[in-house]
């Protein structure tokens, strides 16, 4: 026997363990969402660095618009250890940077060592690889100066360091940097992100879902399954598990009509239907299916003619359902058959 | 009741532990580091090569060339031309400036409009590279100019390699727009009425033998041949009166041609053809220069019975594809004497 005022074990687990877990997870998700939208919000600025001592540095195609279309590249020239000449100290080196295409950059740097900026190793470090451009090197004193070349879409030359800001979606665009002799280059690329990834929204969504689960765990899921089914699907319960308590059994035994009335009052359509038919106790009969192809009509007729040995209704049903020829026709048929047999003999 | 409380505490503790365990995994980050899409870039690079210059760069180059030309025109000194002028145009412009020094003014045909009607920029990698630009008409309604800008190597700048004055009503072939990128041709391009080198050779033969060239039927009549024929005929009348003689030889300059594929399968060729015009006076007379330009170039030279004038001709030819019914046609030309000598 269960006491009605004491919660069941199922209810206790749902309300005591599952609901708090869901609740805490919901709170944690929402808190994480808020953190992702504030403290942990991805930075709108991506700033990556690298250093190289190659004669030229060039970004690979597709690197400039890698993070966003707005990018700034800064380059600083730092004297290497073996370039400490007096001339080098007195004169500031000129660093040039040009916006061009990969094929023009390759043509200009032919035969020289090139630091290729391939992308990002991580959010703070540029991925740089060393390479040598194919082709024959041209001496620096031959041809036009870097800053005077027609091939550059934009070119900037400044002392010690140079910076160029662009807004480009062209994946073919590259930046080419010429290092002054005896200097290494400090490369820095900064992207300004217009569209930041929204990491908070999934947490908000999960938080909402978990909160909903917590509420459901404390209410619907915490109810006794039998009660919940009874409330939700009373018809199915009555059909599948007709559990009757002792009190109900007694009540039915003592006051059967009351019990019958209560059942009918509970909305059982079959019971009501039987009451309407006026014979609540009669079992439902399934219709008899007769296949005439599987019947020996002559034998049936003979049996029926000799008296009803087959009991009751079944025989009546069969005779009426298979009476496709009359008795007179059958008699004439049998006579004709006998006559033909005699003629054959 | 105490059992329930204990279970509640266990549940709360479990939930807290689970939350804490999940916390590092759920913490915020900058997202995945993006990678440059090399494969995609390479595929697009092979299908549609980007033009070697933007229209803005082309305009900047023409402006630089124009500045050098203006400076040379102002001083009538060809000394500084080489930094932005090359090929046949360097010799032609030098001669024009020399003539201008003698005559005091530049021939109006030397005008190059600063505005263009069309530019054809190829996307071919490597060097030498060429850009074909077609100017508007001049202020005095001279015909449009076809400019050939040439870059010999990556460490050189574009230079004005050739200028051809387009004939009145000349129909140029269609080219891709400057933002898409055209394709340069080579001297031995196949699938045409004739390879570019062969077409230029046949045209030179036609210039030299206007009546008897076996290639006459392959070429449409053009203004250059007409005017050259008229001039030769006029000179011939004078020479015949002196019982003299004249002859002209035309020879394509080796490797001096620039080719651009058109959208309809043909090639537009700009080529240099050198010619020598030798005039011999009869009856012991002296042969004199035939034009003001020749007079200016001859200067104070002492005439003899024979005068030899060297010309540089720049010819623009359109060679249609082999399956076309159109003939090869000249669409523009320039002709300038560069040396006049008495031999």
């Amino acid at each position: 026997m269960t006491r009605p005022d004491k919660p069941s074990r199922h209810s206790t687990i749902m309300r005591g363990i599952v609901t708090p877990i869901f609740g805490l997870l919901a709170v944690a998700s929402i808190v994480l969402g808020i953190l992702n939208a504030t403290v942990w919000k991805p930075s709108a600025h991506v700033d990556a660095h690298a250093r190289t001592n190659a004669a030229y540095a060039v970004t690979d195609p597709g690197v400039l618009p890698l993070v966003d279309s707005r990018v700034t590249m800064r380059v600083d020239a730092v004297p290497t250890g073996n370039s400490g000449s007096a001339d080098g100290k007195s004169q500031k080196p000129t660093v040039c940077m040009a916006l061009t295409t990969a094929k023009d950059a390759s043509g200009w740097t032919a035969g020289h060592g090139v630091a290729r900026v391939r992308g990002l190793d991580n959010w703070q470090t540029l991925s740089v690889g060393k390479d040598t451009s194919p082709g024959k090197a041209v001496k620096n004193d031959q041809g036009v100066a870097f800053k005077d070349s027609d091939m550059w879409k934009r070119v900037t030359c400044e002392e010690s360091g140079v910076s160029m800001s662009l807004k480009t979606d062209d994946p073919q665009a590259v930046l080419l940097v010429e290092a002054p002799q005896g200097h290494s280059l400090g490369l820095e690329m900064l992207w300004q992100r217009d569209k930041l990834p929204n990491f908070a929204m999934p947490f908000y969504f999960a938080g909402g879902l978990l909160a909903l689960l917590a509420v459901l765990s404390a209410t619907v899921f915490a109810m006794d399954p039998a009660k919940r089914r009874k409330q939700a699907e009373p018809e199915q319960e009555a059909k599948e598990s007709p559990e009757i308590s002792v009190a109900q059994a007694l009540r039915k035994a003592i006051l059967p009509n009351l019990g019958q009335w209560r059942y009918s009052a509970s909305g059982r359509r079959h019971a009501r239907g039987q009451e309407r038919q006026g014979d609540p106790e009669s079992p439902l009969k399934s219709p008899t299916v007769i296949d005439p192809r599987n019947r020996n009509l002559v034998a049936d007729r003979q049996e029926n003619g000799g008296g009803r040995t087959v009991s009751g209704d079944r025989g009546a049903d069969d005779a009426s359902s298979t009476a496709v020829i009359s008795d007179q026709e059958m008699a004439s048929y049998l006579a004709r058959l006998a006559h033909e047999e005699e003629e054959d003999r | 009741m105490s059992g329930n409380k204990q279970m509640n505490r266990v549940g709360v503790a479990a939930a807290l532990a689970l939350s804490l365990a999940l916390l590092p995994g759920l913490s915020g980050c900058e997202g995945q580091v993006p990678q440059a899409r090399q494969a995609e870039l390479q595929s697009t690079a092979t299908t549609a090569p980007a033009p070697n210059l933007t229209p803005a760069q082309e305009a900047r180059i023409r402006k630089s060339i124009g500045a050098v030309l203006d400076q040379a025109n102002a001083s009538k000194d060809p000394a500084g031309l080489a930094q932005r002028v090359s090929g046949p145009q360097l010799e032609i412009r030098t001669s024009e400036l020399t003539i201008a020094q003698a005559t005091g003014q530049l021939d109006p045909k030397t005008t190059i409009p600063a505005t263009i009607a069309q530019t054809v920029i190829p996307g071919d990698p490597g060097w030498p590279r060429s850009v074909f630009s077609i100017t508007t008409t001049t202020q005095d309604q001279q015909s449009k100019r076809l400019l050939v800008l040439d870059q010999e190597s990556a460490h050189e700048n574009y230079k004005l390699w050739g200028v051809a004055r387009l004939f009145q009503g000349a129909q140029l072939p269609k080219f891709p727009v400057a933002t898409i990128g055209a394709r340069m041709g080579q001297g031995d391009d196949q699938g045409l009425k004739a390879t570019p080198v062969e077409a230029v050779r046949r045209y030179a033969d036609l210039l030299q033998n206007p009546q008897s060239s076996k290639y006459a039927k392959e070429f449409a009549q053009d203004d250059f041949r007409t005017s050259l024929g008229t001039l030769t005929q006029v000179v011939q009348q004078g020479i015949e009166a002196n019982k003299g003689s004249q002859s002209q030889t035309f020879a394509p300059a080796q490797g001096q041609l620039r080719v651009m594929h058109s959208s309809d399968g043909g090639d537009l060729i700009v080529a240099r053809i050198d010619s020598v015009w030798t005039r011999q006076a009869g009856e012991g007379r002296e042969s004199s220069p035939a034009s003001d330009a020749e007079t200016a170039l001859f200067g104070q030279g002492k005439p003899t019975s024979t005068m030899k004038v060297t010309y540089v001709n720049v010819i623009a030819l359109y060679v249609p594809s082999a399956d076309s019914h159109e003939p090869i046609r000249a669409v523009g030309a320039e002709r300038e004497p560069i040396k006049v000598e008495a031999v």
Side-chain angles (χ1 to χ4, degrees), chain B residues 35-97:
Chain B
Q35 301 294 324
R37 292 169 294 177
Q38 288 295 327
E40 190 179 312
L41 291 168
Q42 280 166 6
S43 66
T44 55
T46 52
T47 50
N52 292 327
L53 296 173
T54 62
Q57 281 178 283
E58 188 271 344
R60 207 165 57 216
I61 291 164
R62 268 189 302 107
K63 193 177 176 185
S64 299
I65 292 169
V68 170
L69 292 177
D70 289 345
Q71 195 176 357
N73 291 348
S75 62
K76 294 188 178 59
D77 181 8
L81 283 178
Q83 58 179 312
R84 278 295 186 177
V85 185
S86 68
Q89 184 59 23
L90 180 59
E91 292 181 54
I92 289 173
R93 199 71 180 188
T94 302
S95 175
E96 288 169 345
L97 289 169

Side-chain angles (χ1 to χ4, degrees), chain A residues 34-323:
Chain A
I34 292 167
L35 287 171
N36 272 293
T38 54
V39 183
W40 293 336
K41 187 178 180 181
S43 173
H45 303 276
V46 174
D47 190 359
H49 300 258
R51 181 159 285 283
T52 179
N53 53 8
Y56 294 97
V58 62
T59 59
D60 272 4
V63 169
L64 291 180
L66 188 62
V67 179
D68 213 312
S69 57
R70 281 194 288 175
V71 60
T72 299
M73 188 165 186
R74 292 182 189 148
V75 181
D76 298 315
V78 179
T80 52
N82 54 3
S83 65
S85 64
D87 187 42
K89 283 177 182 172
S90 61
Q91 200 172 8
K92 286 185 177 177
T94 302
V95 188
C96 289
M97 178 159 31
L99 175 66
T100 181
T101 59
K103 55 187 174 185
D104 286 356
S106 176
W108 185 271
T109 60
H112 290 280
V114 176
R116 285 177 51 196
V117 181
R118 296 189 175 119
L120 290 168
D121 274 340
N122 54 52
W123 289 106
Q124 286 80 37
T125 312
L126 292 168
S127 169
V128 178
K130 282 195 176 178
D131 205 350
T132 303
S133 293
K136 194 178 173 184
V138 175
K139 288 180 182 175
N140 286 339
D141 55 347
Q142 291 178 346
V144 295
F146 186 94
K147 65 183 174 60
D148 296 326
S149 176
D150 286 337
M151 295 196 295
W152 318 139
K153 293 180 177 75
R154 278 175 62 185
V155 62
T156 308
C157 291
E158 288 173 30
E159 288 182 348
S160 300
V162 67
S163 170
M164 189 181 283
S165 295
L166 317 163
K167 189 173 190 328
T168 179
D169 291 317
D170 181 8
Q172 303 292 338
V174 304
L175 280 175
L176 173 65
V177 182
E178 187 184 51
Q181 209 166 9
H183 287 73
S184 66
L185 295 173
L187 309 173
E188 180 185 11
M189 291 186 81
L190 300 101
W191 285 274
Q192 174 78 34
R193 290 200 280 194
D194 288 334
K195 288 181 182 174
L196 292 172
N198 189 350
F199 295 117
M201 190 51 70
F203 285 107
Y204 290 146
F205 181 76
L209 213 59
L210 288 164
L212 182 68
L213 283 171
V215 171
L216 289 173
S217 302
T219 56
V220 180
F221 297 159
M223 291 172 70
D224 189 54
K227 282 184 182 176
R228 196 168 70 233
R229 276 205 299 276
K230 197 178 281 179
Q231 282 184 355
E233 299 173 9
E235 292 174 18
Q236 196 177 354
E237 184 199 350
K239 194 183 282 182
E240 291 177 355
S241 57
E243 289 179 9
I244 300 170
S245 65
V246 175
Q248 284 174 321
L250 279 171
R251 216 165 28 236
K252 194 174 182 182
I254 296 165
L255 297 166
N257 291 334
L258 181 61
Q260 198 68 40
W261 176 81
R262 288 187 73 163
Y263 265 105
S264 67
S266 66
R268 293 174 65 197
R269 283 176 292 177
H270 290 301
R272 278 203 298 269
Q274 285 168 356
E275 283 172 5
R276 271 191 237 108
Q277 286 167 8
D279 187 11
E281 296 301 324
S282 66
L284 286 173
K285 287 203 296 184
S286 60
T288 306
V289 178
I290 298 167
D291 185 358
R293 289 172 299 180
N294 295 333
R295 301 298 298 267
N296 186 339
L297 299 176
V298 177
D300 285 351
R301 177 60 62 182
Q302 284 175 340
E303 278 183 16
N304 291 338
R308 294 201 167 186
T309 55
V310 178
S311 65
D313 297 335
R314 168 87 185 268
D317 285 346
D318 287 353
S320 62
S321 61
T322 59

Side-chain angles (χ1 to χ4, degrees), chain B residues 156-197:
Chain B
E156 289 184 55
N157 274 340
Y158 282 86
K159 294 180 180 178
L160 184 62
W161 182 87
V163 178
R165 286 179 289 156
L166 296 179
F167 303 143
Q168 291 293 339
Q171 290 289 318
L172 285 172
K174 288 179 179 146
F175 293 99
V177 294
T179 49
I180 292 176
R183 280 174 50 238
M184 286 168 55
Q186 302 296 324
D188 56 354
D189 281 350
Q190 302 295 318
L192 306 168
K193 292 276 186 190
T195 64
V197 167

